[in-house]
Amino acid sequence: MQSVDRAVSVLEILARHGEAGVTEIADELDVHKSTAFRLLGVLENRGLVAQAKERGKYYLGAGVLRLAGAAAVRLDISQEGVPVCRELADELGETANIAVLDEDAAVNIMQARGTASVTAQNWLGRRTPLHATASGKVLLAHMPPTLREGLLARSLPRFTERTITGTSALRGELEAVIEQGYALTVEELERGLTAVATPVRAHDGRVIAAISVSGPVYRLDSDRLPELAKRIVAAGAELSRRMGYGF
């Protein structure tokens, strides 16, 4: 029980400070550095903490977000998102999805298909890469900076010739996502597939999910994208309102 208590204390320390080294954590726990190091090792193996290798500091890992999402976000969003997704799919005729962060990927937890997308893929439950999907870019853009940089430091796989794999180019893309309020991908995950996504916020303003619309390039062409972006941003605002944002 003492080890569990100390492990939870480590997570609380990192939540307060953003990041901390082994010595700082050991001092706060009043334990030897070797004990703190062992605790951090276990938490790191489970994805609950991560280490910035160049500084030796530890910070909360994506696993914490996964647990938080599993405990509260997914159930609420799955329930509140049904009418929003359904209306979006019916109006646009395309597939609407809601995705949340799952470690280093976006996982789709809600889906509604429009009349034009009866033969489209089933994205429900599918884990998709953050850098090559519209929902993923939204989630990546709104991550805590330390966590985002840790993910960007990894090798980014290429799925098509249009996949953005350069860290600098992707950073620029994520800045645009923040500025314009939505993310766009055109044939970055699969040839012939276009998607637009926007953030969903909790009552405190945190981005907890992304809502998206996807379909074939020949239907979601450049002439239709501005209208699509405007509609998806409105849907994101509506779902955020349902989640308590703005009250």
Side-chain angles (χ1 to χ4, degrees):
M1 290 300 293
Q2 187 181 44
S3 294
V4 173
D5 183 67
R6 285 173 173 171
V8 172
S9 295
V10 170
L11 297 177
E12 290 175 340
I13 290 166
L14 295 179
R16 283 199 308 273
H17 297 300
E19 59 179 25
V22 177
T23 302
E24 298 168 74
I25 292 169
D27 288 345
E28 287 212 33
L29 293 177
D30 194 24
V31 298
H32 193 273
K33 279 179 64 175
S34 61
T35 302
F37 190 77
R38 282 197 302 273
L39 287 168
L40 287 162
V42 172
L43 292 170
E44 187 174 21
N45 286 339
R46 300 305 295 268
L48 297 174
V49 305
Q51 186 179 24
K53 302 297 183 185
E54 70 280 3
R55 296 191 307 281
K57 299 275 190 175
Y58 288 86
Y59 54 90
L60 291 177
V64 172
L65 296 177
R66 184 182 72 250
L67 293 176
V73 170
R74 296 188 187 195
L75 179 60
D76 290 345
I77 287 191
S78 293
Q79 292 172 342
E80 297 295 342
V82 170
V84 179
C85 271
R86 185 71 266 162
E87 183 180 352
L88 203 56
D90 289 346
E91 180 183 332
L92 300 173
E94 306 295 348
T95 300
N97 279 288
I98 296 171
V100 297
L101 191 66
D102 185 21
E103 295 185 337
D104 59 350
V107 63
N108 293 288
I109 61 169
M110 170 66 204
Q111 177 175 274
R113 295 188 186 184
T115 53
S117 61
V118 289
T119 59
Q121 295 188 47
N122 181 11
W123 296 96
L124 195 59
R126 181 172 167 184
R127 296 178 84 252
T128 55
L130 297 176
H131 70 290
T133 59
S135 291
K137 287 182 185 178
V138 166
L139 297 170
L140 196 54
H142 291 278
M143 271 184 192
T146 313
L147 182 57
R148 182 175 60 246
E149 287 305 311
L151 292 173
L152 290 179
R154 301 179 184 180
S155 176
L156 302 175
R158 180 176 296 281
F159 300 96
T160 74
E161 63 276 5
R162 301 192 68 164
T163 307
I164 300 172
T165 58
T167 303
S168 179
L170 186 55
R171 281 199 188 96
E173 185 89 356
L174 298 179
E175 287 174 9
V177 171
I178 299 285
E179 260 182 51
Q180 63 197 16
Y182 64 89
L184 172 68
T185 53
V186 180
E187 299 188 292
E188 293 179 37
L189 179 64
E190 296 180 3
R191 289 186 181 88
L193 180 68
T194 293
V196 184
T198 198
V200 178
R201 297 181 183 274
H203 65 93
D204 58 2
R206 288 179 303 113
V207 172
I208 51 175
I211 184 168
S212 67
V213 168
S214 60
V217 171
Y218 70 85
R219 284 203 304 262
L220 305 185
D221 58 22
S222 57
D223 291 336
R224 196 179 174 197
L225 285 178
E227 165 223 339
L228 197 65
K230 184 177 179 182
R231 184 63 188 86
I232 195 70
V233 167
E238 168 61 16
L239 184 49
S240 296
R241 186 191 66 77
R242 287 171 172 265
M243 297 301 294
Y245 180 63
F247 289 97

